[in-house]
Amino acid sequence: MQAGRCNRNETKLMGSIRIRLAEPEDNDQIQALGRRCYQEGVIHVAVQRSPRFNTMHRLLDPDAWHMVAEDDGVIVGLIGLVHFQSVLAGENRRLGYMMDLRLDEAYRKGTAAFKLLKTAIDRSLGMGTDLVIGNFLKSNQNSLIITQGRAGIPKALYLGDNRVYNMIPVRRMRPDAAYEIGTATPEDLPEMLDLYRAYADQFRMAPQITEELFQKYLSLEGLEMESFYLARDRRSDGGKGRLRAVVAAWDEHTYKHYQVLKLSRNIRMVNGALAVLSPFLKIPKPIRLQQPLPQLSLVLYAHDQAPGALVSLLRQINNDYRGSKYSLLSLYAQEKDPLFEAMNGFAAVSVTSEMYLFAEDPSIYDHIVPDERPAWLDLALTL
C-alpha cells in the first residue's frame, strides 16, 4: 500500500470531505484517481485494475472492501482492505491488508490521509480482524508518519522491508542439473500442499495454504496448474524424485496492470541497447510509454530446505520467457528472506518498501517482536 503522487496541486480544506464505502458506480472515478495518483521510480507507473476496481480482491476474499474520500461528489481518495488467514508468531490470525491508498495531492497536506486510514483501520479491527498490515515505499516520510501513533491511529510495529525483485530475461541461465524441472499436474497437488505447510514453519508470518484456498487461487484467470513449475530430485533410474521447490508464473493483466507514464534515463538507455541487440539475441519486449508494463508475476513459491532448487526454477522461467512479450519477471518477498542470498547472476532491478502491523492493543507486539524470522508473504499482499 502506498500513496501515489497526484497532479492536483491546489490546497483543499477538510470540512467537505466525506468517507464512505465504495460502490460499483464509483468505478470510473476510482480508475481516474488511479491515473492521477502514480508511483514514482525508475519507471513512473499508474496502477489500473480491471474489469472493476475490486474484481480480483472479491475473488480471493468476498469480504474485501474499499472506502473512498469524496469532496462535493468528486472522489479524491481511496483505500482498500482484503483479509487472509495467517500464522503469526505461532498463532492463527485473521489479518487485513490495506492497499490501493490514493489521495489527490491537494488533500495530502491536511488530515485527509489520517481520516481515511483511521476509518479503514477502525472498521477492519471492529469487524473481527485481529491485525492490519500496511506497506509503504521505503523512506517515504509522508506515508511513514501514519505509523507513529498519531490522530487516533494505533502506533504500528515495523515488520521489516519487502522487496519487489524484477528480473530482466536477457541471457540464458543454467539450472542446476541435480533437479528435474517440469510443470505441475493435479496429481502433484498433495505433495505441493505438504511442501507449503512445511515451508510455512520457517517464517514468523506465513499463509495457511489449504486445498480449499489453493483451488480458489486456481479460479483466477491466468493461474492454472500448468502455471506452476516444480523441481524434483533427479533420480538415476528415471523415477519420480522428491519435490524440492515450486513457483507459479502468473500473468495477472486480466485484473491489474501498471500503465507506464515516464521512463528514467537509464531505462531509456536499456531500451536503446536492447533495440541494437535485437537482431542477434532473444530480448524482452521494450518498455513503452503509455503502454501496460509487460510483467509476469512469480508467486506461491516454496522450497524444501533447498533454495538452490527454487533458484533453478527461476532460471528456467528466465530461459522460457527470453524473447517473449514480458519485460520483467517479478518476485515479491521480504528483504531478509534467505532466498535472495542464493540468487546470483540475474539481471534485475528492485523496489523496496516497509511493512507495518497495526493492532488495537499494541501490547500484542511484545509477543511478536522476539520472533526475528522473516515473513512469507501471502498472495493477498501482492494485489
Side-chain angles (χ1 to χ4, degrees), residues 24-319:
E25 54 267 25
D26 295 323
N27 187 67
D28 289 347
Q29 282 208 59
I30 289 174
Q31 301 289 13
L33 179 68
R35 290 187 289 273
R36 296 198 301 272
C37 297
Y38 55 87
Q39 299 175 10
E40 293 183 331
V42 292
I43 306 171
H44 286 26
V45 295
V47 179
Q48 297 289 279
R49 299 192 181 276
S50 56
R52 307 193 69 83
F53 66 91
N54 62 353
T55 299
M56 180 162 56
H57 315 93
R58 289 290 181 87
L59 288 173
L60 287 178
D61 173 24
D63 295 327
W65 46 264
H66 282 71
M67 283 185 163
V68 295
E70 186 179 57
D71 186 1
D72 196 22
V74 178
I75 291 176
V76 298
L78 175 73
I79 192 169
L81 197 134
V82 63
H83 310 87
F84 61 97
Q85 292 295 133
S86 180
V87 174
L88 177 61
E91 295 188 15
N92 292 330
R93 298 285 187 180
R94 185 174 191 257
L95 302 184
Y97 172 56
M98 294 188 294
M99 64 208 163
D100 290 347
L101 178 59
R102 312 272 184 264
L103 194 64
D104 273 326
E105 189 165 346
Y107 297 82
R108 296 178 67 187
K109 294 180 180 179
T111 59
F114 286 99
K115 185 175 180 180
L116 187 58
L117 278 159
K118 178 174 173 24
T119 305
I121 292 172
D122 288 350
R123 173 180 169 82
S124 181
L125 294 176
M127 296 178 65
T129 303
D130 295 320
L131 302 135
V132 175
I133 292 173
N135 202 43
F136 305 92
L137 279 179
K138 184 74 173 174
S139 301
N140 184 342
Q141 296 304 316
N142 288 333
S143 294
L144 292 179
I145 290 174
I146 294 165
T147 68
Q148 296 172 9
R150 300 184 182 183
I153 297 176
K155 183 175 177 60
L157 174 67
Y158 172 63
L159 289 179
D161 287 358
N162 296 340
R163 182 178 181 186
V164 181
Y165 188 73
N166 296 300
M167 293 166 275
I168 306 170
V170 176
R171 65 186 186 88
R172 177 169 289 279
M173 306 187 76
R174 182 178 298 176
D176 192 329
Y179 304 109
E180 186 171 354
I181 295 174
T183 55
T185 67
E187 290 73 26
D188 295 310
L189 182 55
E191 281 184 282
M192 294 166 65
L193 294 175
D194 287 343
L195 179 57
Y196 284 135
R197 281 190 287 269
Y199 190 61
D201 290 340
Q202 303 174 37
F203 295 89
R204 171 168 65 174
M205 184 177 80
Q208 299 171 288
I209 302 181
T210 62
E211 183 170 359
E212 179 183 4
L213 179 58
F214 190 87
Q215 294 299 336
K216 185 177 289 189
Y217 291 155
L218 293 184
S219 71
L220 297 171
E221 189 167 335
L223 191 58
E224 305 164 342
M225 284 301 290
E226 294 78 9
S227 307
F228 287 80
Y229 283 68
L230 305 182
R232 294 182 177 276
D233 286 330
R234 189 180 298 277
R235 289 177 43 169
S236 58
D237 62 2
K240 194 174 186 179
R242 177 179 172 180
L243 180 62
R244 303 308 299 268
V246 58
V247 65
W250 181 29
D251 184 338
E252 57 182 318
H253 284 78
T254 297
Y255 307 108
K256 181 182 76 171
H257 72 268
Y258 295 93
Q259 191 77 2
V260 178
L261 303 180
K262 183 179 178 180
L263 301 177
S264 68
R265 182 173 179 271
N266 287 342
I267 294 296
R268 294 198 303 271
M269 290 176 62
V270 169
N271 274 347
L274 292 177
V276 171
L277 295 173
S278 60
F280 314 103
L281 297 174
K282 288 184 176 181
I283 64 166
K285 183 177 179 178
I287 299 171
R288 300 297 189 194
L289 287 172
Q290 303 305 323
Q291 296 292 322
L293 183 64
Q295 174 180 309
L296 191 68
S297 298
L298 305 181
V299 298
L300 297 169
Y301 65 88
H303 62 81
D304 177 20
Q305 303 291 333
L310 181 53
V311 172
S312 287
L313 290 182
L314 299 178
R315 291 184 172 189
Q316 183 63 52
I317 293 170
N318 172 90
N319 294 344

